[in-house]
Amino acid sequence: MAAIFALCDCNNFYVSCERVFNARLVNRPVVVLSNNDGCVVARSNEAKALGIKMGVPLFQAQHIIDAHDVQVLSSNYALYSDMSHRVMSVLQDFTPEIELYSIDEAFLNLEHNVASGSLSDFGRKIRQTIYQWTGIPISIGMAETKTLAKLANNLAKKSEKAKGVLDLSCSPYQDHALECTPVGNLWGIGRQYAKLLNSHGITNAKQFRDVDIRWARKTLTVVGARIVEELRGNSCLPLESFPPAKKSLTCSRSFGHSVETLSDLREAVATFTVRVAERLRKNKLVAGAITVFVATNRFAKDAPYYADSATIEMAYPTDTTPELLERSMKCIEKLYRAGCKFKSAGVLLNALAPASPMTIRMNNDKQWVKSRSLIRAVDRINARMGRDTIKFGIVGVEQRWKTKFEKRSARSTTNWNEILAIA
DNA sequence: TCTGGGGTCCTAGGACCC
DNA sequence: TCTGGGGTCCTAGGACCC
């Protein structure tokens, strides 16, 4: 028997997380903003119904928000990632054959769990359990391939009848489901591909499924050909239970205010370097190259757009913050331009490798051994006493560049001082 | 005034080698 | 007149995802 994929997707995830801890948000239009309170990245169904589009800049949606008293929140990633862990761990109780695909989605293989025919019932049980144990509503789509499961999930969300669970495997309704799905809604078909397909008269998923596979390959590369195969029920994308090794790590931010001095820019880039280095060590990796990038506001009309990057390859891969800081500070000296109003910057680590003894330099390098054990001690203290209990002077105190989060809710599940209190 | 962040994969084309 | 050819590696750019 072949795999049966189930895609479990949390509904309006960030909004749903906020609602668990704030009943006033229930049954009202709610949006959650991106970093820097820039764009709308999550919407409740009520907000969607008002016509607020995904990814729209806040100021462009402001008139709708004012007119309908839409509740607006900054992102609270500490809360969302903790709620994500809770949802995923409940899912893992149902089957070990699970791929954690994103913060709010997981693929399951139910081939060994259920006799087909009772798949929907099993799905409902999962859905009900998740809701009861975490407060998060989810939708589940099932089918023979990941692409079809995604499609089923979309329909499960929209259909009144499905009540959040739709099994399209061996279903006589598959043709109809594909016909109802605009080709641009398919997993892997974005704006450009949709435009291209539309220009060839292909507007729905069924038409795309039935194209000549060689044409798909030629026009949309192997990516397109794979989607066609998946729509035909031939699985090309296996369940990935073990996350593949990371190839790069980035920490970047846009600034709350534009930055014009080298010293402010250095503080920002130093901060990003410290953060990304922490994640590097957490992943037990070392980096062989570091890239720093900066940019001015690309929307500004009164000043030219400037964006550039600088890379340093290291003779010895490293995971210690001081060594990475030394390089990123060199890069930023090169990139800085007086008179530019910088709006964003970032640090990217590349050429990652496992931090095994073989790759971490000779153990007889005394200086290296010492600095590694020092930074590990710092990590342990910060893990126990709170982030930045010990920090590097170079990151500064004022941090005038700081990203905005003006409407952030409490970190109700990860910080004792912000735990929900019932008055 | 105000426009996110963190990733991956694929291909074309140039450099280089024999 | 006729100006090799095939392989590999690297990178930039473009597409996609959530």
Side-chain angles (χ1 to χ4, degrees), chain A residues 358-375:
Chain A
M358 292 305 288
T359 56
I360 56 165
R361 232 184 272 185
M362 291 68 75
N363 275 323
N364 57 10
D365 183 337
K366 293 269 168 23
Q367 191 58 44
W368 161 252
V369 172
K370 233 168 116 178
S371 77
R372 275 198 111 213
S373 66
L374 175 63
I375 196 69

Side-chain angles (χ1 to χ4, degrees), chain A residues 109-283:
Chain A
N109 177 14
L110 299 183
E111 158 190 12
H112 303 111
N113 288 66
V114 199
S116 82
S118 57
L119 269 174
S120 299
D121 293 340
F122 191 62
R124 272 177 239 293
K125 196 171 143 201
I126 295 176
R127 187 169 183 270
Q128 214 250 320
T129 309
I130 298 274
Y131 187 70
Q132 193 178 334
W133 292 8
T134 68
I136 302 291
I138 71 169
S139 300
I140 306 180
M142 300 147 172
E144 292 88 349
T145 69
K146 283 182 166 181
T147 304
L148 287 170
K150 270 265 189 187
L151 186 151
N153 188 288
N154 277 333
L155 296 173
K157 273 208 172 66
K158 285 176 199 149
S159 152
E160 287 286 319
K161 228 170 79 187
K163 294 201 177 68
V165 178
L166 180 63
D167 172 20
L168 270 189
S169 66
C170 317
S171 163
Y173 299 111
Q174 232 182 62
D175 267 30
H176 181 63
L178 265 64
E179 217 162 4
C180 294
T181 301
V183 75
N185 286 10
L186 284 172
W187 193 36
I189 302 296
R191 254 239 211 52
Q192 302 303 317
Y193 285 179
K195 215 164 92 184
L196 202 150
L197 289 169
N198 286 337
S199 77
H200 285 88
I202 298 160
T203 58
N204 68 50
K206 181 162 173 278
Q207 291 172 320
F208 188 44
R209 180 195 67 186
D210 296 334
V211 299
D212 182 340
I213 190 87
R214 288 163 302 182
W215 180 84
R217 162 79 233 236
K218 208 173 71 200
T219 319
L220 300 180
T221 80
V222 297
V223 176
R226 261 198 305 251
I227 296 169
V228 171
E229 283 295 348
E230 287 245 320
L231 289 175
R232 294 176 181 177
N234 307 322
S235 178
C236 305
L237 305 166
L239 193 82
E240 292 184 27
S241 305
F242 301 98
K246 283 226 179 302
K247 300 186 170 168
S248 67
L249 287 170
T250 312
C251 180
S252 72
R253 293 278 177 284
S254 52
F255 305 140
H257 306 278
S258 61
V259 161
E260 292 182 60
T261 68
L262 178 58
S263 77
D264 280 350
L265 200 55
R266 284 168 58 99
E267 285 187 6
V269 169
T271 304
F272 306 153
T273 308
V274 168
R275 291 281 173 261
V276 79
E278 285 167 358
R279 279 163 48 209
L280 184 71
R281 291 190 293 274
K282 209 166 177 184
N283 281 279

